[in-house]
Amino acid sequence: PRLAASIALGLADVHLGLGDPQAAVNDLLPLLDAPAADVAPEIYAGAWRRLAGARRRLGDYATALDNLQTARQALASPAVAGIALAPTEAGQPPATMAPMAEAAEREAWTIELNMAQVLFDMRGTQGQRARAQAEQVLRALDRRRYPELAAETRNLLGGMA
């Protein structure tokens, strides 16, 4: 199941990269129809996040937000709940983390950033929510451990200015 999940995620990434979000949706739906216990929580959450990205590109923002909520819930299991979204103390070097824990934490931050991106794309009344979400991510994110996510968050905030 893990190999099949990795292949489905890879295909979805390729289709999203090629600008074919509907094909990405079609790649992900069979994986998401399978029992969640068959794959690691961060992989399952990543599939929901990618589905949200495809829905966002299709302009279906409400469904994208629902998909991101589902991704959050996938990481809220007792096995990963204590590791995700732990703010860091300024000036402290990043603590060493087990690879699975780091993957879950990275996925959790990516989901939070994607929430801000969807809210920003919704325009209108969601602008303040998008800014608040992005600022929360930037404040709490360990920028030394995840510099690429910090850069994406800063780029999003720059686009909001």
Side-chain angles (χ1 to χ4, degrees), residues 8 11-30 50-60 63:
L11 281 172
D13 286 341
V14 167
H15 285 125
L16 285 171
L18 292 173
D20 190 358
Q22 189 56 54
V25 168
N26 295 338
D27 294 333
L28 294 166
L29 288 178
R50 286 170 177 83
L51 182 61
R55 300 284 191 204
R56 175 179 152 233
R57 290 187 184 171
L58 291 168
D60 190 357
T63 303

Side-chain angles (χ1 to χ4, degrees), residues 59-132:
D60 190 357
Y61 303 121
T63 303
L65 285 175
D66 286 344
N67 293 159
L68 289 167
Q69 287 291 356
T70 303
R72 271 181 173 168
Q73 291 168 355
L75 290 176
S77 75
V80 293
I83 58 170
L85 305 181
T88 60
E89 298 202 20
Q92 297 298 317
T96 304
M97 190 179 282
M100 293 300 285
E102 186 166 354
E105 183 179 51
R106 177 182 299 281
E107 187 60 47
W109 284 117
T110 305
I111 290 165
E112 296 303 314
L113 176 57
N114 275 254
M115 284 275 216
Q117 290 170 332
V118 171
L119 290 167
F120 177 68
D121 286 348
M122 291 174 83
R123 307 275 190 241
T125 61
Q126 301 303 323
Q128 287 182 322
R129 281 184 61 200
R131 178 174 285 288

Side-chain angles (χ1 to χ4, degrees), residues 39-53:
V39 295
E42 67 275 6
I43 292 175
Y44 191 68
W48 280 106
R49 177 183 50 80
R50 286 170 177 83
L51 182 61

Side-chain angles (χ1 to χ4, degrees), residues 44 54 59 140 149 152:
Y44 191 68
L149 293 176
E152 273 189 70

